[in-house]
Amino acid sequence: MNMPSKPSRLRGDRVTLAHGGGGRAMRDLIEEVFTGVFRPESGEDQARLTSAALQVPGARLAFTTDSYVVTPVEFPGGDIGKLAVCGTVNDLAVGGAEPLWLSASFIIEEGCEIALLRRIVASMAREAEAAGVKIVTGDTKVVEKGSCDTVFITTSGVGVIPPGRDLGAVHIRPGDVAIVNGVLGDHGATILTARGDLALSAPLQSDCQALGHLMAAVAGACPNLRAARDATRGGLASALNEIAEAAGVSVELDEASLPLRPEVKGMCEILGLDPLYLANEGALVLFVPEAEADAALAAMRALPAGREAVIVGRAMERGSVPVRMTSAFGGTRIVDMLVGEQLPRIC
């Protein structure tokens, strides 16, 4: 039998400045909307963290932080809360860490619907549970209407890098292959259509997903996994340029192998965009020795997040440009770092 839920102590259906004033209204908002869902273990102003992983000799802490300002805050396939959890988990995972704990700080605009906050927080809780992490501490601030766009979220993440694991672009060698875990550009294309500024529609959803379990599987299958990077703002092109510069190699892409949906390619052709620069929120690129490529692909394809994994290129001796692509017609073109931005407020 379902137990009756407690009556809400919140008055009204929108956030007011009183909810950020330090009194009873703020306490009610925090307890009902945030801590009542995240259920942090400590009621203090700091989280107190313990893990068996930290007791292993040679284990190291990994720490990252990021802010999320996407508009609209809800979109097909996700919302700003899901984005914040997955993005921070992925920043830890691609560095070889096991993500364990997150903090979450909210800047809320006066007038924001409380029901919207509840949906965002519920989404964060679901994604954290699926990713195997805990949201252990956080903060809320309320600002005057017009000072931000509905809600901004900053998440920080802590994880543990097991002994012996040292991922980084400096380990990449000529001949190593580049693998992506799935289709590219879905998030950027989805946000563009969700804004409704253009007379475009497409059956797309953001690829937003946590990749910690995927990275753990690849690391277990490939003892010489070199490096990984999530292809968020700036897309695959910018991620590969950063990797090539840090590694001192060039990267050669094969255009025919790039996993792109026809809808994304068609939208980019109409708008004059390059899908290689579209943001992704559930896509990564990693480098492994060619001898371990089959093992990496098998490990990735065994999981939903890597079912469409494919080799897209390889590292070469350093040439005149960091990244170039061989076209389907046999020509080559330079794939440079993105200058400026194709789309604003993408994540």
Side-chain angles (χ1 to χ4, degrees):
M1 183 175 67
N2 293 329
M3 297 295 292
S5 59
K6 292 182 179 180
S8 173
R9 299 190 304 271
L10 298 174
R11 297 187 178 184
D13 58 1
R14 292 182 181 272
V15 174
T16 69
L17 291 177
H19 288 116
R24 172 63 64 184
M26 186 181 82
R27 179 55 51 193
D28 290 344
L29 180 73
I30 290 173
E31 290 180 354
E32 283 199 27
V33 177
F34 297 101
T35 59
V37 176
F38 295 149
R39 300 189 180 280
E41 294 178 3
S42 170
E44 306 297 331
D45 282 342
Q46 76 284 319
R48 300 169 183 182
L49 310 175
T50 59
S51 172
L54 289 172
Q55 309 307 315
V56 180
R60 292 173 292 155
L61 280 177
F63 176 72
T64 188
T65 191
D66 209 344
S67 296
Y68 297 87
V69 295
V70 67
T71 182
V73 296
E74 293 180 299
F75 46 83
D79 55 62
I80 192 171
K82 180 179 181 180
L83 199 65
V85 170
C86 293
T88 301
V89 165
N90 294 347
D91 284 344
L92 291 168
V94 296
E98 176 192 357
L100 294 176
W101 304 292
L102 301 182
S103 72
S105 177
F106 297 79
I107 306 296
I108 307 165
E109 184 184 33
E110 176 190 12
C112 174
E113 293 182 358
I114 292 175
L116 172 62
L117 280 182
R118 291 187 188 275
R119 294 196 299 272
I120 289 170
V121 169
S123 175
M124 295 179 74
R126 287 193 301 271
E127 291 305 315
E129 182 178 12
V133 300
K134 292 183 178 180
I135 299 173
V136 293
T137 190
D139 186 46
T140 63
K141 292 293 185 292
V142 179
V143 296
E144 293 84 355
K145 191 168 183 63
S147 297
C148 80
D149 187 2
T150 311
V151 60
F152 296 161
I153 302 176
T154 295
T155 42
S156 296
V158 177
V160 176
I161 303 173
R165 186 176 299 171
D166 183 22
L167 305 188
V170 295
H171 302 304
I172 296 173
R173 298 290 180 266
D176 291 345
V177 298
I179 301 174
V180 297
N181 63 302
V183 293
L184 302 169
D186 280 9
H187 179 73
T190 297
I191 297 299
L192 180 61
T193 56
R195 287 176 180 156
D197 296 333
L198 302 169
L200 293 173
S201 62
L204 291 171
Q205 286 197 342
S206 170
D207 64 337
C208 185
Q209 59 184 334
L211 301 172
H213 300 314
L214 182 77
M215 278 298 300
V218 177
C222 302
N224 295 299
L225 172 64
R226 308 293 200 200
R229 190 74 58 93
D230 50 340
T232 52
R233 283 176 295 178
L236 178 65
S238 293
L240 288 177
N241 271 274
E242 292 172 357
I243 289 171
E245 289 288 354
V249 299
S250 288
V251 176
E252 185 168 295
L253 286 173
D254 176 16
E255 184 178 31
S257 68
L258 294 175
L260 295 165
R261 299 190 195 280
E263 297 90 343
V264 172
K265 289 195 287 187
M267 182 182 298
C268 288
E269 289 172 359
I270 292 171
L271 299 176
L273 302 175
D274 188 333
L276 288 178
Y277 297 101
L278 287 182
N280 308 275
E281 289 297 338
L284 59 75
V285 57
L286 57 82
F287 283 80
V288 297
E290 187 170 18
E292 296 182 10
D294 287 343
L297 287 170
M300 295 170 80
R301 289 171 179 169
L303 297 174
R307 193 165 291 142
E308 298 177 271
V310 64
I311 295 173
V312 295
R314 66 180 58 244
M316 314 289 287
E317 294 287 349
R318 185 58 186 261
S320 57
V321 296
V323 184
R324 63 179 184 268
M325 183 167 68
T326 302
S327 74
F329 302 102
T332 60
R333 74 171 176 93
I334 296 172
V335 180
D336 208 348
M337 180 74 77
L338 178 65
V339 177
E341 57 184 357
Q342 289 199 117
L343 299 172
R345 301 287 301 279
I346 206 73
C347 63

